[in-house]
Amino acid sequence: MRRLADLALAALTLGGAAALTFGQGFGIAEFAFVAILWALLTLALRHAAITWLTAHAQRRRAAELARTTPTEAALRAADEESERMATDIRATLHATLEAIAHEVTLARSAAPDRAVEHLEAIQRHAVVATTELRRMLGLLRATHPSDDAAPPPAHRRPRRVLRLVAVGLMQLEIIATSQLWAEGNGAVDPAEPLLMVTQLTLSTMALAVFFAPVDAPLACLCTAGLFALGFAVGAPLLDGVWLGIVLALLSWRIIARPAVPRWGLVALVALWAAAGTSIATFSPGNLGVHCVMVGSATATAVAVRLGDRTRTDAEARAATAAGELASETARAVRERRLEVARTLHDALSGTVGVVVAQTGAAEVLWRSRPDQAKAALEVVAEAVAHARVDLERVALGPAPQQRPGLAEIPGLVRRMRDAGIDVVLVALPASAPQEAGAAAYRIVQECLANVARHAPGAAAEVHVALRDGDLSISVSDDGPGLSPTDRGGYGLTGLRERVGLLGGRLTLDSTPPGLRVLARLPIRQEVA
């Protein structure tokens, strides 16, 4: 598309120049003159238009970003992350739990020989659930680089077209040089070769300043010096199209580029003064043409400079706003991922342990004590049902009132007791603030799951009480405890995070016998 636009621009330039010159009976030299001037003016206007369109797009982007508050962006990003994770959870963990529940149903009604096959299938599904849980916890807790705002699009300059202009300028120089040598007709004025060298040098310097990182102010000063020297000795630079192009290119380069130092404007004024004085003195008839060329270059350069400044300011505002939004959304996504990781671990880790233990017991007891084996399957079914509810809460991004709290702790203790853990609920307050109650439930859940996994056969006690303005949760067991170098896995990491988010303290006491986990959560509102 862009190439077609460039071709259309070139065709328009050549067609317009041909109509203005050949239609009036002029020759090839005049056609080249008009075509190049038209091309330069068109390119300058095109560049200015691109600059202002880009600036407008950046201002619109900055305004759109400014209308989005960090809080809105964070909520939207967190909701999108929840939807993405919900799809993964339903496709893996939830599907595995459904498969376990289905196998439990089949095992209940199957003959003893076939029931064992279903129990083995349950064990395999439990292994799959453990693998998927570890995979998801690893992904959720991995440090992901924040998705910074995409950088604004680079301000493209029509480099390819400008190179074509450079070729045209060189062709013009060839025409002018040929005319100079032809005018000599074998008796060349000694000054003409020097003038041609000067012409080529100045034009090459102007092009170098335009295309390469050459010091534009220094080039202006050198050119002004040449004009002043020629004026002083009475041998001015030859007037012509090339001279106007040199002045226009140098003027455009100084004015259009913000990176040029301020003293470059002084150098440009010196060039204008020296060139204007020389042309007005030795070729006053062409002064108006040069003024039009330099004036056109200056006007478009001013437009480009202002557009660049506007674009730069808009890009800076957009980058600042995008950075704030990116930081806030990254924080929100990170918090949501960690919350899901904690809840996912709490909901499923203990359940998988119960499934493995009770299914193994059912497999052993199925032939000799079928009633006890079926009771073990009931424990598995109930644990899986609760885990599925918890997973659905995770997938839906539960509202606070949907989260389990203090009222659900007795049911949790009963289920763990049915699963074979010797656990006693010693104390439980009637109520507590919602956030603290939900955290207390998850702390008790994780601690009892750890007892089932790491201290089978140990006795456990659960104490939950209001003390000195804090909600105190204590879970102790008489198992082997933690080794001095053991800092725990995902579960204890999640406990520390939960307690820390509420401004509480978590203490692990592994003084024999057993392990005691003590959490104190400050109560920030009155007990309901």
Side-chain angles (χ1 to χ4, degrees), residues 207-230:
L207 290 171
V209 166
F210 202 73
F211 288 114
V214 177
D215 195 335
L218 183 60
C220 282
L221 287 180
C222 292
T223 307
L226 288 175
F227 273 105
L229 180 61

Side-chain angles (χ1 to χ4, degrees), residues 209-292:
V209 166
F210 202 73
F211 288 114
V214 177
D215 195 335
L218 183 60
C220 282
L221 287 180
C222 292
T223 307
L226 288 175
F227 273 105
L229 180 61
F231 180 81
V233 301
L237 298 180
L238 263 182
D239 193 14
V241 177
W242 69 272
L243 179 59
I245 293 174
V246 168
L247 295 176
L249 288 177
L250 290 176
S251 300
W252 197 96
R253 180 62 177 83
I254 290 290
I255 296 174
R257 304 294 175 85
V260 174
R262 293 189 176 184
W263 70 270
L265 295 176
V266 177
L268 180 60
V269 172
L271 174 61
W272 287 346
T277 302
S278 178
I279 296 171
T281 301
F282 296 101
S283 183
N286 290 328
L287 181 61
V289 175
H290 289 300
C291 288
V292 171

Side-chain angles (χ1 to χ4, degrees), residues 99-109 118 122 377-378 380-381 384:
I100 292 175
H102 179 65
E103 294 293 341
V104 169
T105 301
L106 294 177
R108 286 170 175 167
S109 58
H118 294 300
I122 293 173
L377 283 182
E378 292 296 331
V380 171
V384 169

Side-chain angles (χ1 to χ4, degrees), residues 377-453:
L377 283 182
E378 292 296 331
V379 173
V380 171
E382 186 177 8
V384 169
H386 279 277
R388 290 171 66 183
V389 172
D390 271 349
L391 283 185
E392 193 61 26
R393 287 171 177 164
V394 174
L396 295 176
Q401 62 269 21
Q402 295 176 311
R403 291 180 294 181
L406 293 184
E408 284 72 31
I409 290 180
L412 171 65
V413 170
R414 178 187 57 78
R415 290 194 301 275
M416 300 305 288
R417 188 184 299 117
D418 292 341
I421 300 176
D422 183 9
V423 55
V424 177
L425 178 59
V426 177
L428 181 71
S431 60
Q434 199 169 65
E435 288 289 336
Y441 177 88
R442 293 303 183 188
I443 291 170
V444 173
Q445 184 183 42
E446 172 59 23
C447 290
L448 295 181
N450 284 336
V451 173
R453 283 194 303 270

Side-chain angles (χ1 to χ4, degrees), residues 44-398:
L45 292 174
R46 178 176 180 269
H47 193 171
I50 291 175
T51 301
W52 278 99
L53 287 175
T54 305
H56 176 70
Q58 289 301 314
R59 286 196 302 181
R60 185 172 56 195
R61 177 171 176 266
E64 290 175 354
L65 290 173
R67 285 195 294 269
T68 304
T69 65
T71 302
E72 292 174 348
L75 290 175
R76 184 166 58 247
D79 290 341
E80 291 173 355
E81 183 69 8
S82 294
E83 292 178 3
R84 188 194 65 77
M85 291 185 294
T87 302
D88 200 5
I89 291 171
R90 289 192 178 102
T92 55
L93 298 176
H94 204 279
T96 303
L97 291 180
E98 287 182 348
I100 292 175
H102 179 65
E103 294 293 341
V104 169
T105 301
L106 294 177
R108 286 170 175 167
S109 58
D113 293 339
R114 298 298 304 274
V116 174
E117 296 178 3
H118 294 300
L119 295 176
E120 291 174 350
I122 293 173
Q123 296 278 24
R124 290 194 298 271
H125 287 308
V127 172
V128 172
T130 301
T131 303
E132 286 298 320
L133 177 62
R134 289 188 175 278
R135 178 187 68 83
M136 294 194 69
L137 291 178
L139 292 175
L140 290 170
R141 289 191 171 277
T143 302
H144 294 269
S146 61
D147 295 330
D148 294 334
H155 184 46
R156 296 182 176 180
R157 293 184 171 86
R159 293 284 188 181
R160 184 173 300 176
V161 178
L162 290 177
R163 290 191 180 98
L164 295 177
V165 174
V167 173
L169 292 175
M170 289 301 183
Q171 291 174 345
L172 181 62
E173 286 190 325
I174 293 173
I175 295 172
T177 303
S178 300
Q179 288 178 343
L180 286 174
W181 283 102
E183 289 174 2
N185 195 22
V188 181
D189 189 325
E192 288 183 357
L194 178 60
L195 291 172
M196 285 187 295
V197 171
T198 304
Q199 168 183 314
L200 290 170
T201 302
L202 287 178
S203 297
T204 302
M205 179 178 62
L207 290 171
V209 166
F210 202 73
F211 288 114
V214 177
D215 195 335
L218 183 60
C220 282
L221 287 180
C222 292
T223 307
L226 288 175
F227 273 105
L229 180 61
F231 180 81
V233 301
L237 298 180
L238 263 182
D239 193 14
V241 177
W242 69 272
L243 179 59
I245 293 174
V246 168
L247 295 176
L249 288 177
L250 290 176
S251 300
W252 197 96
R253 180 62 177 83
I254 290 290
I255 296 174
R257 304 294 175 85
V260 174
R262 293 189 176 184
W263 70 270
L265 295 176
V266 177
L268 180 60
V269 172
L271 174 61
W272 287 346
T277 302
S278 178
I279 296 171
T281 301
F282 296 101
S283 183
N286 290 328
L287 181 61
V289 175
H290 289 300
C291 288
V292 171
M293 295 176 66
V294 173
S296 300
T298 301
T300 55
V302 169
V304 168
R305 188 183 184 107
L306 293 177
D308 275 336
R309 181 179 299 173
T310 302
R311 174 180 56 82
T312 302
D313 293 343
E315 286 178 352
R317 292 196 302 272
T320 300
E324 294 176 355
L325 294 180
S327 176
E328 192 66 19
T329 55
R331 181 196 61 77
V333 168
R334 175 66 176 166
E335 290 180 356
R336 182 63 60 88
R337 291 172 70 89
L338 291 177
E339 174 62 25
V340 170
R342 289 189 293 268
T343 306
L344 201 59
H345 181 276
D346 296 344
L348 202 58
S349 180
T351 298
V352 171
V354 170
V355 168
V356 171
Q358 294 300 312
T359 303
E363 191 173 356
V364 172
L365 297 173
W366 196 264
R367 295 182 184 278
S368 60
R369 301 176 184 176
D371 292 341
Q372 293 184 14
K374 291 182 179 180
L377 283 182
E378 292 296 331
V379 173
V380 171
E382 186 177 8
V384 169
H386 279 277
R388 290 171 66 183
V389 172
D390 271 349
L391 283 185
E392 193 61 26
R393 287 171 177 164
V394 174
L396 295 176

Side-chain angles (χ1 to χ4, degrees), residues 447-466:
C447 290
L448 295 181
N450 284 336
V451 173
R453 283 194 303 270
H454 306 299
E461 289 187 353
V462 176
H463 295 256
V464 183
L466 292 171

